[in-house]
Amino acid sequence: DTAVSQTPKYLVTQMGNDKSIKCEQNLGHDTMYWYKQDSKKFLKIMFSYNNKELIINETVPNRFSPKSPDKAHLNLHINSLELGDSAVYFCASSSSSYNSPLHFGNGTRLTVT
Amino acid sequence: TQLLEQSPQFLSIQEGENLTVYCNSSSVFSSLQWYRQEPGEGPVLLVTVVTGGEVKKLKRLTFQFGDARKDSSLHITAAQPGDTGLYLCAGALSQTGANNLFFGTGTRLTVIP
Protein backbone atom coordinates (compact mmCIF):
# COMPACT_ATOMS: atom_id res chain seq x y z
CA ASP A 1 0.00 0.00 0.00
CA THR A 2 1.28 3.43 -0.95
CA ALA A 3 1.93 5.57 2.14
CA VAL A 4 1.79 9.01 0.51
CA SER A 5 0.14 9.14 -2.87
CA GLN A 6 -0.28 12.15 -5.09
CA THR A 7 -2.03 12.57 -8.40
CA PRO A 8 -1.46 13.18 -11.18
CA LYS A 9 2.11 12.01 -11.75
CA TYR A 10 2.49 14.29 -14.77
CA LEU A 11 0.61 17.48 -15.56
CA VAL A 12 1.09 19.46 -18.76
CA THR A 13 -0.95 22.59 -19.16
CA GLN A 14 -0.93 26.01 -20.74
CA MET A 15 -0.22 29.34 -19.16
CA GLY A 16 -3.20 30.91 -17.50
CA ASN A 17 -4.95 27.65 -16.67
CA ASP A 18 -5.97 26.53 -13.18
CA LYS A 19 -4.96 23.09 -11.97
CA SER A 20 -5.03 20.97 -8.82
CA ILE A 21 -2.77 18.29 -7.40
CA LYS A 22 -4.18 15.86 -4.88
CA CYS A 23 -2.38 14.19 -2.00
CA GLU A 24 -3.42 11.51 0.42
CA GLN A 25 -1.54 9.73 3.20
CA ASN A 26 -2.53 6.56 5.02
CA LEU A 27 0.15 6.73 7.71
CA GLY A 28 -2.04 8.36 10.33
CA HIS A 29 0.20 11.43 10.38
CA ASP A 30 -1.20 14.74 11.56
CA THR A 31 1.14 17.00 9.58
CA MET A 32 1.29 17.32 5.81
CA TYR A 33 3.44 19.43 3.51
CA TRP A 34 3.91 20.65 0.00
CA TYR A 35 7.44 21.05 -1.35
CA LYS A 36 8.62 22.38 -4.70
CA GLN A 37 11.72 20.92 -6.38
CA ASP A 38 13.21 23.06 -9.12
CA SER A 39 15.27 22.04 -12.13
CA LYS A 40 18.44 22.11 -10.02
CA LYS A 41 16.85 19.63 -7.61
CA PHE A 42 16.58 22.18 -4.81
CA LEU A 43 13.72 21.24 -2.51
CA LYS A 44 11.87 24.09 -0.81
CA ILE A 45 8.90 23.98 1.52
CA MET A 46 5.77 25.77 0.41
CA PHE A 47 3.13 24.91 3.00
CA SER A 48 2.68 22.82 6.11
CA TYR A 49 -0.61 21.80 7.70
CA ASN A 50 -1.07 20.30 11.15
CA ASN A 51 -4.48 18.80 11.90
CA LYS A 52 -5.96 20.69 8.96
CA GLU A 53 -4.55 24.00 10.19
CA LEU A 54 -1.99 25.98 8.19
CA ILE A 55 1.22 26.34 10.22
CA ILE A 56 3.85 27.17 7.61
CA ASN A 57 3.28 29.39 4.62
CA GLU A 58 6.53 30.31 2.98
CA THR A 59 6.81 33.08 0.43
CA VAL A 60 4.58 31.59 -2.20
CA PRO A 61 2.41 33.54 -4.67
CA ASN A 62 -1.25 33.85 -3.74
CA ARG A 63 -2.04 31.84 -6.86
CA PHE A 64 -1.09 28.76 -4.83
CA SER A 65 -3.75 27.69 -2.36
CA PRO A 66 -3.58 24.54 -0.26
CA LYS A 67 -6.72 22.88 0.98
CA SER A 68 -6.91 20.25 3.70
CA PRO A 69 -10.38 18.67 3.93
CA ASP A 70 -9.14 16.28 6.62
CA LYS A 71 -5.91 15.12 8.25
CA ALA A 72 -5.23 12.56 5.53
CA HIS A 73 -5.53 14.91 2.58
CA LEU A 74 -3.75 18.06 1.46
CA ASN A 75 -4.51 19.28 -2.01
CA LEU A 76 -2.75 22.06 -3.90
CA HIS A 77 -4.65 24.35 -6.23
CA ILE A 78 -2.80 26.66 -8.58
CA ASN A 79 -4.51 29.54 -10.38
CA SER A 80 -3.33 31.36 -13.50
CA LEU A 81 -0.36 29.09 -14.10
CA GLU A 82 2.89 30.69 -15.23
CA LEU A 83 5.93 29.28 -17.02
CA GLY A 84 7.98 29.62 -13.83
CA ASP A 85 5.62 27.27 -12.01
CA SER A 86 7.09 24.35 -13.96
CA ALA A 87 8.71 22.07 -11.39
CA VAL A 88 8.18 18.84 -9.50
CA TYR A 89 5.81 19.23 -6.56
CA PHE A 90 6.12 16.82 -3.65
CA CYS A 91 3.58 16.11 -0.98
CA ALA A 92 4.92 14.78 2.33
CA SER A 93 3.64 13.85 5.75
CA SER A 94 5.06 13.33 9.21
CA SER A 95 3.96 13.02 12.78
CA SER A 96 4.18 16.20 14.80
CA SER A 97 6.87 14.77 17.07
CA TYR A 98 10.25 16.44 17.15
CA ASN A 99 12.63 15.07 14.50
CA SER A 100 9.96 13.08 12.79
CA PRO A 101 11.05 12.02 9.32
CA LEU A 102 9.16 13.20 6.28
CA HIS A 103 7.47 10.61 4.10
CA PHE A 104 7.28 11.88 0.55
CA GLY A 105 5.01 11.03 -2.33
CA ASN A 106 6.54 10.34 -5.72
CA GLY A 107 5.98 13.84 -6.99
CA THR A 108 3.94 15.57 -9.66
CA ARG A 109 5.90 16.93 -12.59
CA LEU A 110 4.14 20.10 -13.70
CA THR A 111 5.00 21.54 -17.10
CA VAL A 112 3.51 24.86 -18.08
CA THR A 113 3.72 25.70 -21.79
CA THR B 1 22.79 31.75 -0.90
CA GLN B 2 21.11 28.64 0.49
CA LEU B 3 20.94 27.87 4.19
CA LEU B 4 22.59 24.47 3.69
CA GLU B 5 25.30 24.05 1.09
CA GLN B 6 26.31 20.59 -0.01
CA SER B 7 29.54 19.62 -1.73
CA PRO B 8 30.33 18.29 -4.13
CA GLN B 9 27.30 19.01 -6.28
CA PHE B 10 28.11 16.09 -8.60
CA LEU B 11 30.22 13.03 -7.93
CA SER B 12 30.98 10.18 -10.31
CA ILE B 13 33.08 7.32 -8.98
CA GLN B 14 33.95 3.72 -9.71
CA GLU B 15 32.38 0.86 -7.81
CA GLY B 16 34.41 0.04 -4.72
CA GLU B 17 35.70 3.56 -4.10
CA ASN B 18 35.06 5.57 -0.97
CA LEU B 19 33.50 9.02 -0.93
CA THR B 20 32.43 11.79 1.42
CA VAL B 21 29.62 14.29 0.97
CA TYR B 22 29.56 17.46 3.02
CA CYS B 23 26.66 19.57 4.26
CA ASN B 24 27.60 22.99 5.64
CA SER B 25 25.85 25.98 7.13
CA SER B 26 26.52 29.04 9.25
CA SER B 27 23.35 28.26 11.23
CA VAL B 28 23.00 25.94 14.19
CA PHE B 29 20.50 23.13 13.75
CA SER B 30 18.66 21.21 16.43
CA SER B 31 18.83 18.13 14.25
CA LEU B 32 19.85 17.10 10.78
CA GLN B 33 18.47 14.44 8.50
CA TRP B 34 19.90 12.79 5.39
CA TYR B 35 17.69 11.61 2.55
CA ARG B 36 18.32 9.77 -0.71
CA GLN B 37 16.19 10.44 -3.77
CA GLU B 38 16.05 8.27 -6.86
CA PRO B 39 14.71 9.42 -10.25
CA GLY B 40 10.93 9.67 -10.36
CA GLU B 41 10.56 9.17 -6.63
CA GLY B 42 10.42 11.25 -3.50
CA PRO B 43 13.29 11.50 -1.00
CA VAL B 44 13.59 8.68 1.52
CA LEU B 45 15.04 9.18 4.98
CA LEU B 46 18.40 7.55 5.69
CA VAL B 47 19.22 8.87 9.16
CA THR B 48 18.59 11.58 11.75
CA VAL B 49 21.37 13.01 13.92
CA VAL B 50 20.57 15.22 16.89
CA THR B 51 23.65 15.54 19.12
CA GLY B 52 26.76 17.52 18.26
CA GLY B 53 29.57 15.12 17.36
CA GLU B 54 27.16 12.22 16.91
CA VAL B 55 28.18 9.45 14.53
CA LYS B 56 25.68 6.98 13.09
CA LYS B 57 26.38 4.03 10.84
CA LEU B 58 24.01 2.44 8.38
CA LYS B 59 25.85 -0.52 6.80
CA ARG B 60 28.46 1.12 4.53
CA LEU B 61 27.21 4.64 5.23
CA THR B 62 28.61 6.72 8.11
CA PHE B 63 26.94 9.96 9.11
CA GLN B 64 28.47 12.57 11.39
CA PHE B 65 26.97 15.69 12.94
CA GLY B 66 29.47 18.47 13.58
CA ASP B 67 30.32 19.38 17.16
CA ALA B 68 28.76 22.81 16.74
CA ARG B 69 25.71 21.33 14.95
CA LYS B 70 26.35 23.51 11.89
CA ASP B 71 27.55 20.83 9.52
CA SER B 72 27.36 17.16 8.71
CA SER B 73 29.07 14.61 6.54
CA LEU B 74 28.12 11.37 4.85
CA HIS B 75 30.87 8.86 4.12
CA ILE B 76 30.23 5.84 1.92
CA THR B 77 32.68 2.96 1.97
CA ALA B 78 33.10 0.70 -1.05
CA ALA B 79 30.38 2.38 -3.07
CA GLN B 80 27.98 0.18 -5.01
CA PRO B 81 25.90 1.03 -8.11
CA GLY B 82 22.84 0.83 -5.87
CA ASP B 83 24.16 3.86 -3.97
CA THR B 84 23.54 6.00 -7.05
CA GLY B 85 21.09 8.80 -6.34
CA LEU B 86 20.59 12.34 -5.10
CA TYR B 87 21.66 12.79 -1.48
CA LEU B 88 19.99 15.59 0.46
CA CYS B 89 20.72 16.87 3.92
CA ALA B 90 17.95 18.68 5.77
CA GLY B 91 18.23 20.70 8.94
CA ALA B 92 15.66 21.64 11.55
CA LEU B 93 16.16 25.05 13.17
CA SER B 94 13.83 24.63 16.10
CA GLN B 95 12.95 21.91 18.58
CA THR B 96 9.42 23.15 18.92
CA GLY B 97 6.70 24.26 16.64
CA ALA B 98 6.42 23.29 13.05
CA ASN B 99 8.62 20.56 11.64
CA ASN B 100 10.21 23.01 9.23
CA LEU B 101 13.10 21.35 7.45
CA PHE B 102 15.51 23.28 5.27
CA PHE B 103 16.97 21.10 2.56
CA GLY B 104 20.50 21.31 1.26
CA THR B 105 21.49 21.92 -2.33
CA GLY B 106 21.96 18.20 -3.00
CA THR B 107 24.76 15.91 -4.18
CA ARG B 108 24.13 13.75 -7.21
CA LEU B 109 26.16 10.55 -6.89
CA THR B 110 26.79 8.15 -9.75
CA VAL B 111 28.57 4.87 -9.04
CA ILE B 112 29.90 3.25 -12.19
CA PRO B 113 30.02 -0.56 -12.23
Side-chain angles (χ1 to χ4, degrees), chain A residues 9 33 35 37 40-43 45 55-56 58 90 94 98-102 104-106, chain B residues 2 30-31 33 35 37 40-43 45 48 50 86 95 98-101 103-104 108:
Chain A
K9 175 76 172 174
Y33 313 79
Y35 278 83
Q37 189 170 47
K40 294 185 177 180
K41 302 300 183 183
F42 183 64
L43 202 59
I45 191 168
I55 54 174
I56 293 175
E58 291 296 316
F90 284 96
S94 75
Y98 170 57
N99 284 333
S100 296
L102 299 183
F104 285 87
N106 284 333
Chain B
Q2 305 299 346
S30 58
S31 66
Q33 299 176 355
Y35 291 79
Q37 182 180 13
E41 299 181 5
L45 180 76
T48 301
V50 297
L86 177 68
Q95 291 189 12
N99 192 10
N100 191 356
L101 283 179
F103 278 83
R108 192 188 298 273

Side-chain angles (χ1 to χ4, degrees), chain A residues 8-113:
Chain A
K9 175 76 172 174
Y10 299 96
L11 186 53
V12 181
T13 188
Q14 292 185 324
M15 285 175 56
N17 285 347
D18 303 338
K19 291 294 179 184
S20 292
I21 307 172
K22 295 185 176 182
C23 179
E24 176 181 5
Q25 55 96 4
N26 62 6
L27 296 168
H29 289 157
D30 48 17
T31 306
M32 296 185 70
Y33 313 79
W34 278 107
Y35 278 83
K36 178 180 180 180
Q37 189 170 47
D38 61 25
S39 58
K40 294 185 177 180
K41 302 300 183 183
F42 183 64
L43 202 59
K44 185 173 181 181
I45 191 168
M46 300 173 67
F47 302 102
S48 171
Y49 268 73
N50 180 267
N51 285 319
K52 302 195 304 176
E53 182 180 342
L54 180 66
I55 54 174
I56 293 175
N57 183 358
E58 291 296 316
T59 305
V60 175
N62 291 336
R63 298 181 295 104
F64 290 79
S65 55
K67 286 185 172 54
S68 182
D70 55 59
K71 280 173 41 174
H73 295 83
L74 181 63
N75 303 322
L76 183 64
H77 188 75
I78 315 170
N79 290 327
S80 302
L81 278 156
E82 300 178 356
L83 292 176
D85 296 333
S86 295
V88 181
Y89 292 84
F90 284 96
C91 176
S93 72
S94 75
S95 75
S96 54
S97 302
Y98 170 57
N99 284 333
S100 296
L102 299 183
H103 295 258
F104 285 87
N106 284 333
T108 295
R109 181 176 293 278
L110 171 65
T111 303
V112 182
T113 61

